[in-house]
Amino acid sequence: MNENSSKPCLIKTSQGFCVKYKEKFLYSKYNPQKTILNLIEKIELLPGTIIIAASPVMPYGIKNLIEKLPRDCMILAVEFDANLFEFSKPYLEEYSNFSPEKIQILSKNDILNFHKLLQQKNPCLENGFLLPPHGTFKRAVKIDFSGGVQFHKELYESFLQTVQNAIGTFFKNQITLSKFARKYFHNLFRNMTKIPDSVPLKSLEKSVSKPILILGTGSSVEDTLEKIKNNFSKFFIISLDATVPALKDYKIHCDAVICEECQCVISKMFIGSHKTFPLAITGLTSAPKTVSFSTKELSYFIPFFADCTALKNIISMKNFPPKINPFGSVGITALYFALFLRKNNTIPIFFSGLDFSFENNFTHAKNSLPYKNLLFMQNKIKPIQNLSPVFAEGNLKILDKNKKTVNTTKALLNYSQLFSLFENEKNLFDIRKKGLKLNIKDGIIFFEEILNSEIKQESSTVKFNHFSEEEKIELKQEIRKFFLQEINALEEAKKILKGEVNISENEKTKKLKAIFIPREYLYLHFPDGYKFSLDLSFLKRVRAEMDFFLKEFKTDLTLLDD
C-alpha cells in the first residue's frame, strides 16, 4: 500500500479534482461534481430544516445548496473521519466565514453535545457562533456529499437520528408546557408565599442514618407492604404521593412523602390525612393547598421545567429552594432524594413498586388510589378489571425481570432506562419481585435480614431546622419585592398597549420587549410560546394573560403578609 494512502490526496481529472483516500475514490474520476449537483437540484427542502452535510470533503454543491435554502434553514457540515476533517476544513471555512448563518462546521464536541444544544434557549457552538433559538428547526435531513460517508456510515445515521430525536423532544416538551406551564407558574407563585415557613432542603442533606425504603405504586409493592406492616419502624419510609392510600390501609406510617403533581387531582390521595406526615418534599410547582394540608413540615425544590429567564430569575433569589432537573417520574425523584437524605453511602436504600410496567388486569397496586377508583366505578356492566390500557395505542408488550410478558409504554420504558444514572451508587437495592429489569443489584435477602433482625434501628426522626427569624424577614422582603416588581411591570405594559403612554413606535417596541421577553410565564403555555412575538394576535393573547397574573400577584402579596 502507498504510504500516502492513509492521507487524503487530490487527483486531477478532466472536469475538476477528485479525492483519493484509503485506496478509494471519494468522487467520480470522470465528473466529481455531477452526482452531488444533481442531488441538490432535485431535493425539496421545507422551512425550518437542519441539513446535515455528511462528509463534505470538497466544497462541491455547497454554494448551490446555500442558494436554495428556504427560511430558517441551516447546513451543518459533519465529518467523523479526523483526516478528512482536517483536509476539508480550509475549503469549508471559506463558506462558513462568508455565510455563517447558513453553514457551520461542527467540531467533535459540537457533535457529541448537539442534542443538548437544541434544547437550549440560546445554543452556542464551540467556535462561539450562536445557533438560532430553540424551536426554529422542525426537521432534519442528511445529504451524503462524498464517498467518505461509507467509512462511518452508522455514525452519520446515528447523528441524524439524534438530531431528529432532539427536535422531537423539544416539541413534545412544548406540548407539555402548552398544557401545564400556566399551572406551573400559578402554583410556583402561590407556593413562594410559604417558603419562609418551610424547612430549607439543604438542612435535610445527609440527615437519615437508618435504612431507607422507597415505596411506589406498582403491583410489586403489595408484597413489600405485607412484609413490613408490623416492622415498618426499622426503615425510613419514603412514599410517593399515589402510594399514600395503600399505606393508610396497612396502618404504615411514612417518614416523608414526595410530591410533584401540579393538578388538584392529587387531593384525593390525601383524604383523611390532615397533618399526618412528618415531612413532604415537594416541587414549588405542585398543588399548593393539598400537600400543606396533609403534612406537618414542607421542604421545597424548584423543578427546572423550562429553560426560561422568568424561572432562572426566581431560582437565583437568595435562600430560595435549589433547582432540580425534572426526571419525569416521581419514583425517580424519590430515589434522587433518598440518596440526598442518607448520611453516607453505607446506609442501604431499598425500593419497591417502581415497576414501570403493568399486568393485564390492573395498572397499580391494590389499595392505591387508581385501584380504589376502579372499585368506586364498578357496577353490573363494568367489571373491576381495567383493560383499556392494555389495548390503548402505544401499549408495548415486553419481558419483565422474571421473563414474563407484561405491558408498558414508551414513556415508562424511558423512565426505567433513567435508572442507569444510579447503577453505580453503593448500597442501592431492588427488592421488587416483578416489574421491568433495572440495572440495580437485587437486595431481597439483605432486606429481609434487616426486617427480621433483632437489632434496634435508630429513630427515624429527622431534626427540622427552619429559617431563622432574620432569614424569614429577609425572604419575605425579597418575595414581596419580586411581586411588586412584576405588578409594576405588567401595569406599565397595560398602559403602553392601551396607548395611554405618549411614546414613539420604536420606543414602544423596545419597552414591550424589555417587559415581556423575560416574563415567559405570560406566554410559555401558548402553542407558539417558545419565543416572544410582536404580532398583534400574540400580543392580544399576552394582554389577556396579564389580568390573570396581576390578580395572582396581588393575592400572593396578601397571603405573604398574613
Side-chain angles (χ1 to χ4, degrees):
M1 185 183 282
N2 191 310
E3 305 183 337
N4 296 323
S5 64
S6 61
K7 295 284 184 182
C9 60
L10 286 173
I11 306 291
K12 191 172 183 180
T13 71
S14 59
Q15 298 189 55
F17 286 93
C18 181
V19 177
K20 190 176 183 182
Y21 180 53
K22 293 184 179 179
E23 298 297 328
K24 293 181 183 293
F25 288 98
L26 306 187
Y27 296 91
S28 167
K29 291 186 288 184
Y30 307 103
N31 190 343
Q33 302 185 52
K34 183 179 179 181
T35 304
I36 187 63
L37 291 178
N38 287 342
L39 179 61
I40 289 170
E41 186 180 348
K42 293 175 183 176
I43 196 168
E44 294 292 332
L45 295 172
L46 295 171
T49 302
I50 290 177
I51 298 96
I52 299 169
S55 192
V57 181
M58 295 293 286
Y60 301 148
I62 295 291
K63 183 181 177 182
N64 305 62
L65 186 57
I66 288 174
E67 291 172 351
K68 193 173 182 176
L69 289 182
R71 62 180 174 80
D72 295 335
C73 287
M74 191 171 198
I75 303 166
L76 300 175
V78 178
E79 180 56 74
F80 282 101
D81 189 288
N83 290 328
L84 291 178
F85 179 80
E86 293 302 325
F87 180 86
S88 63
K89 194 174 179 182
Y91 300 109
L92 295 174
E93 280 180 340
E94 292 181 22
Y95 289 96
S96 64
N97 292 336
F98 183 72
S99 301
E101 74 287 351
K102 298 290 185 182
I103 178 171
Q104 283 291 316
I105 307 165
L106 296 191
S107 68
K108 184 179 178 181
N109 286 336
D110 289 332
I111 292 170
L112 291 172
N113 298 311
F114 200 75
H115 65 291
K116 294 179 183 176
L117 286 175
L118 286 182
Q119 307 303 320
Q120 295 173 10
K121 190 173 183 179
N122 297 300
C124 182
L125 297 180
E126 194 174 40
N127 63 8
F129 179 79
L130 279 173
L131 291 172
H134 59 198
T136 303
F137 301 120
K138 297 172 177 63
R139 59 193 63 83
V141 297
K142 178 174 72 72
I143 300 176
D144 295 345
F145 271 73
S146 76
V149 172
Q150 300 306 315
F151 297 121
H152 304 282
K153 191 172 183 179
E154 290 182 359
L155 290 177
Y156 289 107
E157 291 297 333
S158 176
F159 183 68
L160 173 63
Q161 192 64 48
T162 298
V163 175
Q164 288 174 335
N165 288 344
I167 293 171
T169 299
F170 171 80
F171 283 103
K172 285 176 187 174
N173 291 341
Q174 193 58 35
I175 291 171
T176 302
L177 289 174
S178 69
K179 292 180 179 178
F180 296 116
R182 191 176 193 255
K183 190 69 174 173
Y184 288 157
F185 277 116
H186 163 69
N187 290 351
L188 189 149
F189 296 141
R190 186 60 53 90
N191 283 328
M192 280 172 64
T193 64
K194 301 174 186 175
I195 292 175
D197 296 318
S198 67
V199 176
L201 189 62
K202 183 70 178 173
S203 69
L204 299 174
E205 188 175 10
K206 298 181 179 179
S207 60
V208 177
S209 54
K210 66 189 297 187
I212 296 174
L213 175 60
I214 302 168
L215 298 174
T217 54
S219 57
S220 66
V221 81
E222 294 171 14
D223 178 69
T224 306
L225 293 175
E226 191 63 41
K227 284 179 179 177
I228 68 168
K229 63 183 180 181
N230 296 319
N231 288 313
F232 61 84
S233 60
K234 292 191 174 184
F235 301 92
F236 184 93
I237 295 178
I238 298 176
S239 169
L240 308 195
D241 44 21
T243 317
V244 167
L247 296 183
K248 283 173 59 185
D249 288 352
Y250 279 91
K251 293 182 171 54
I252 294 171
H253 301 288
C254 69
D255 300 288
V257 176
I258 307 294
C259 181
E260 290 186 292
E261 179 57 60
C262 70
Q263 300 177 91
C264 61
V265 66
I266 193 179
S267 58
K268 296 178 184 178
M269 302 174 193
F270 296 100
I271 292 172
S273 301
H274 180 58
K275 302 295 180 186
T276 55
F277 309 120
L279 172 69
I281 299 176
T282 179
L284 208 61
T285 55
S286 61
K289 290 185 179 178
T290 304
V291 182
S292 58
F293 174 82
S294 308
T295 187
K296 295 175 183 175
E297 300 290 352
L298 277 170
S299 190
Y300 287 110
F301 62 93
I302 302 178
F304 193 64
F305 58 86
D307 183 10
C308 64
T309 306
L311 188 56
K312 288 178 180 176
N313 288 342
I314 292 168
I315 290 168
S316 65
M317 292 170 71
K318 189 177 178 183
N319 286 327
F320 256 53
K323 173 190 83 171
I324 302 292
N325 288 324
F327 295 105
S329 163
V330 67
I332 300 174
T333 304
L335 179 53
Y336 172 88
F337 281 113
L339 293 165
F340 176 85
L341 290 171
R342 71 173 175 179
K343 194 169 187 177
N344 52 57
N345 61 16
T346 65
I347 306 297
I349 297 174
F350 304 96
F351 65 85
S352 181
L354 307 182
D355 297 349
F356 305 107
S357 64
F358 53 93
E359 296 173 354
N360 287 339
N361 291 335
F362 303 107
T363 56
H364 294 74
K366 290 179 180 177
N367 300 315
S368 65
L369 183 66
Y371 178 85
K372 288 185 175 182
N373 282 340
L374 291 175
L375 290 176
F376 297 149
M377 292 187 292
Q378 182 188 14
N379 56 43
K380 291 179 181 180
I381 59 173
K382 185 175 176 61
I384 188 174
Q385 286 86 357
N386 183 19
L387 297 176
S388 56
V390 178
F391 298 103
E393 186 179 353
N395 183 64
L396 304 172
K397 297 288 184 182
I398 195 169
L399 295 179
D400 71 356
K401 63 187 297 187
N402 301 316
K403 307 295 183 187
K404 180 184 174 183
T405 301
V406 293
N407 303 285
T408 189
T409 64
K410 191 173 181 180
L412 291 174
L413 200 57
N414 289 338
Y415 294 150
S416 71
Q417 291 166 355
L418 285 175
F419 266 75
S420 60
L421 297 171
F422 307 103
E423 59 187 19
N424 294 323
E425 293 290 345
K426 292 183 178 178
N427 286 311
L428 175 61
F429 300 101
D430 179 0
I431 60 169
R432 303 167 307 140
K433 290 188 176 179
K434 57 177 80 170
L436 296 190
K437 182 175 175 58
L438 307 171
N439 293 324
I440 306 294
K441 187 178 178 182
D442 188 278
I444 293 176
I445 295 174
F446 184 28
F447 172 73
E448 291 181 349
E449 284 176 0
I450 294 174
L451 195 62
N452 298 323
S453 69
E454 298 298 324
I455 301 172
K456 248 191 170 183
Q457 295 291 343
E458 291 185 31
S459 169
S460 61
T461 304
V462 174
K463 187 179 179 182
F464 300 121
N465 297 311
H466 292 82
F467 290 106
S468 67
E469 286 303 315
E470 286 182 5
E471 287 172 328
K472 281 185 181 181
I473 293 169
E474 192 176 351
L475 262 172
K476 285 187 176 184
Q477 287 175 345
E478 190 161 2
I479 295 168
R480 186 180 293 105
K481 180 183 174 183
F482 171 82
F483 289 147
L484 289 172
Q485 179 180 295
E486 297 307 297
I487 290 169
N488 292 336
L490 296 186
E491 292 285 9
E492 182 185 359
K494 276 178 73 173
K495 289 178 181 177
I496 294 171
L497 290 172
K498 286 180 178 179
E500 296 175 2
V501 180
N502 188 20
I503 53 176
S504 67
E505 281 300 313
N506 283 341
E507 192 65 27
K508 179 180 175 182
T509 299
K510 283 182 184 177
K511 280 187 172 291
L512 288 177
K513 280 186 174 182
I515 292 171
F516 290 142
I517 288 177
R519 291 176 172 81
E520 295 96 336
Y521 57 81
L522 292 167
Y523 53 84
L524 193 62
H525 55 285
F526 297 169
D528 54 349
Y530 49 83
K531 58 182 178 181
F532 176 70
S533 171
L534 285 168
D535 289 347
L536 183 60
S537 65
F538 193 92
L539 289 176
K540 282 182 177 180
R541 286 177 284 157
V542 170
R543 172 66 186 86
E545 292 298 318
M546 287 166 60
D547 288 333
F548 171 83
F549 282 102
L550 276 168
K551 184 177 179 181
E552 174 65 35
F553 293 135
K554 289 172 183 176
T555 302
D556 294 338
L557 271 175
T558 305
L559 291 172
L560 188 66
D561 293 330
D562 282 350

